[in-house]
């Protein structure tokens, strides 16, 4: 059963195509991450789902209600909680007055429970709130009527690390109770911690939808190698090596820093870029290696690896390694794989 369904949803402002033929669904009881940089179209999509703006084309439903049917959507909103990226509370009102107003509109069955968890300063006027306190008040107003579907736009903005952890625990508990969460964010660590599936949006267009585990697996492993003896760079010309960066030495030219960029994973189409000998290792350098005839070697390197780890280790057995780490690649790297190049690369 789906809580949210989009079919060709489009919003065209003329000079900006903010939502471009979006088609996907959010299953009941899942935390769905909607990931993209600022300006990608995340907030526009949310505003379309909530009926704040009308689509140019396509359709969408939330809780089986058509978002263009105002009366049906009002009925659905009784079961929806929404937290915007910038909660606009009356700055002259106190926290208590804000909550009383929301309670009069939609109820407050969980008010006391949420206040105990998030502790916004209710007796103070909102104008005296910090950004974090505004967000805590917003979380309470979002969940106080015990919604079935929650739509969150950058929900942890301004929260300190302890409160972020508390919010994470709370959201996982809500999922266990069957609440559906549509979670818009550009904070990748939040997506990693919380989401079951992720949709990535770029320039208004949906790039992919993946289970979070699949997305992380697809991103590969972050590998770091340090060796007491030089290793020929050709050793790593195997399937699955991406974005190789080395601190290298060439015969007769020790200690030269070099970046080897590549995306095909087979080692056949990389541009090697080197820094002058006196410079430290710098990522993304643009100077060309001078001695292409010499055997290129390295003593340290990092890269992303999507191949067979056993095959990689087999290539390294003859060298005296001082360090070898294989870790899950940062989700930031996953993000850059979808946003760092042309659409064809994505």
């Amino acid at each position: 059963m789906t809580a949210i369904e989009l079919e060709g949803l489009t919003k065209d402002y003329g000079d900006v195509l903010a939502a471009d033929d979006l088609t996907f669904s959010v299953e009941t009881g899942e935390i769905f991450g909607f990931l993209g940089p600022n300006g990608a179209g995340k907030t526009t999509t949310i505003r379309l789902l909530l009926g704040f703006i009308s689509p140019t084309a396509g359709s969408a439903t939330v809780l089986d209600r058509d978002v263009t049917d105002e009366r049906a959507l009002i009925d659905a909103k009784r079961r929806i909680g929404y937290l915007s990226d910038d909660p606009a509370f009356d700055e002259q009102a106190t926290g208590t007055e804000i909550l009383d107003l929301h309670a009069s509109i939609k109820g407050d069955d969980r008010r006391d429970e949420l206040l105990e968890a998030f502790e916004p300063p209710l007796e103070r006027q909102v104008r005296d709130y910090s950004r974090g306190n505004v967000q805590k008040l917003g979380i309470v107003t979002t969940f106080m009527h015990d919604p079935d579907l929650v739509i969150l736009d950058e929900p942890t903005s301004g929260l300190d690390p302890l409160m972020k952890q508390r919010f994470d625990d709370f959201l996982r508990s809500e999922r266990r109770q069957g609440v559906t969460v549509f979670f818009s964010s550009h904070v990748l660590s939040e997506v990693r911690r919380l989401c079951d599936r992720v949709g990535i949006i770029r320039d208004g267009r949906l790039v992919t939808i993946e289970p979070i585990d699949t997305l992380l697996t697809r991103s590969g492993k972050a590998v770091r190698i340090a060796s007491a003896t030089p290793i020929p760079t050709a050793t790593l010309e195997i399937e699955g090596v991406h974005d190789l960066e080395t601190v290298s030495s060439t015969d007769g030219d020790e200690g030269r820093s070099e970046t080897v960029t590549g995306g095909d994973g087979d080692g056949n189409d990389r541009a090697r870029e080197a820094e002058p000998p006196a410079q430290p290792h710098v990522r993304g350098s643009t100077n060309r290696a001078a001695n292409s005839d010499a055997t290129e070697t390295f003593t340290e390197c990092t890269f992303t690896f999507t191949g067979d780890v056993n095959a990689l280790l087999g290539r390294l057995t003859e060298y005296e390694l001082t360090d070898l780490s294989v870790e899950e690649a940062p989700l930031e790297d996953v993000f850059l794989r979808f946003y760092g190049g042309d659409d064809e690369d994505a």
Side-chain angles (χ1 to χ4, degrees):
M1 182 177 178
T2 59
I4 298 175
E5 188 87 34
L6 288 74
E7 184 66 41
L9 193 66
T10 300
K11 183 62 179 179
D12 188 352
Y13 288 104
D15 55 341
V16 176
L17 191 57
D20 185 2
D21 194 31
L22 297 177
T23 300
F24 64 90
S25 61
V26 178
E27 300 299 320
T28 299
E30 75 170 329
I31 299 181
F32 183 91
F34 199 45
L35 178 63
N38 291 327
K42 303 187 304 297
T43 297
T44 296
T45 303
I46 286 175
R47 296 182 70 196
L48 288 165
L49 292 175
L50 292 171
F52 297 158
I53 55 177
S54 299
T56 305
S59 62
T61 61
V62 291
L63 300 178
D64 294 324
R65 305 301 198 279
D66 187 338
V67 298
T68 62
D69 185 333
E70 184 176 354
R71 180 169 297 180
L73 193 57
I74 289 174
D75 181 61
K77 285 180 179 178
R78 295 189 177 97
R79 299 159 53 202
I80 296 175
Y82 169 56
L83 179 60
S84 76
D85 60 340
D86 184 19
F89 299 124
D90 181 355
E91 293 193 346
Q92 304 303 313
T94 65
T96 297
E97 290 170 338
I98 295 294
L99 294 184
D100 289 344
L101 174 62
H102 279 258
S104 69
I105 298 171
K106 59 188 181 184
D108 63 348
D109 293 346
R110 303 182 63 184
R111 178 172 177 166
D112 292 342
E113 169 198 351
L114 291 159
L115 288 176
E116 183 177 352
F118 296 103
E119 303 176 326
L122 296 183
E123 302 310 314
R124 289 160 51 186
Q125 291 181 314
V126 172
R127 67 181 180 184
D128 296 325
Y129 275 26
S130 66
R131 181 68 180 89
N133 281 331
V134 170
Q135 204 70 12
K136 289 190 286 185
L137 185 64
I139 291 170
V140 176
T141 62
T142 300
F143 288 91
M144 63 190 292
H145 60 298
D146 199 20
D148 297 322
L149 167 65
V150 178
I151 297 176
L152 307 173
D153 195 355
E154 308 289 351
T156 62
S157 176
L159 297 182
D160 62 43
L162 179 61
M163 194 56 62
K164 286 181 180 180
Q165 181 60 56
R166 190 172 301 179
F167 178 75
D168 289 356
D169 294 341
F170 172 76
L171 213 58
R172 293 188 191 100
S173 176
E174 292 298 287
R175 176 179 54 190
R176 289 193 294 270
Q177 301 301 317
V179 176
T180 305
V181 180
F182 184 84
F183 188 113
S184 170
S185 180
H186 68 275
V187 181
L188 303 175
S189 58
E190 290 180 346
V191 173
R192 178 195 297 275
R193 294 193 307 265
L194 292 170
C195 295
D196 302 303
R197 290 193 302 149
V198 174
I200 297 180
I201 186 172
R202 173 187 180 184
D203 296 331
R205 293 164 52 192
L206 191 68
V207 177
T208 188
I209 292 181
E210 301 278 6
I212 188 66
D213 290 342
T214 300
L215 195 63
L216 293 175
T217 300
R218 184 193 221 178
S219 71
K221 302 293 183 181
V223 178
R224 180 182 182 276
I225 298 171
S227 176
T229 56
I231 300 175
T233 303
T235 302
L236 297 181
E237 292 182 353
I238 61 175
E239 182 178 359
V241 173
H242 305 269
D243 307 322
L244 174 64
E245 300 184 15
T246 65
V247 175
S248 66
S249 59
T250 305
D251 293 345
D253 185 15
E254 296 295 324
R256 183 159 51 88
S257 175
E258 179 177 301
T259 298
V260 183
T261 61
D264 60 5
D266 60 12
N268 294 325
D269 188 21
R270 298 193 185 97
R272 291 181 171 82
E273 302 175 339
E275 290 291 319
Q279 297 298 319
H281 176 49
V282 178
R283 292 175 180 265
S285 113
T286 56
N287 294 328
R288 295 290 175 183
N291 190 355
S292 59
D293 294 331
T295 301
E296 294 177 345
T297 63
F298 65 86
T299 53
E300 297 179 27
C301 74
T302 60
F303 56 91
T304 301
F305 188 61
T306 57
D308 183 351
V309 174
N310 292 318
L312 173 64
L313 296 177
R315 289 288 189 105
L316 299 171
T317 53
E318 63 185 277
Y319 302 103
E320 185 181 347
L321 303 185
T322 58
D323 184 41
L324 172 65
S325 63
V326 181
E327 302 175 346
E328 184 179 273
L331 193 52
E332 283 81 358
D333 291 353
V334 183
F335 188 79
L336 289 173
R337 283 186 183 278
F338 289 106
Y339 291 98
D342 296 332
D343 293 338
E344 289 78 10
D345 295 334

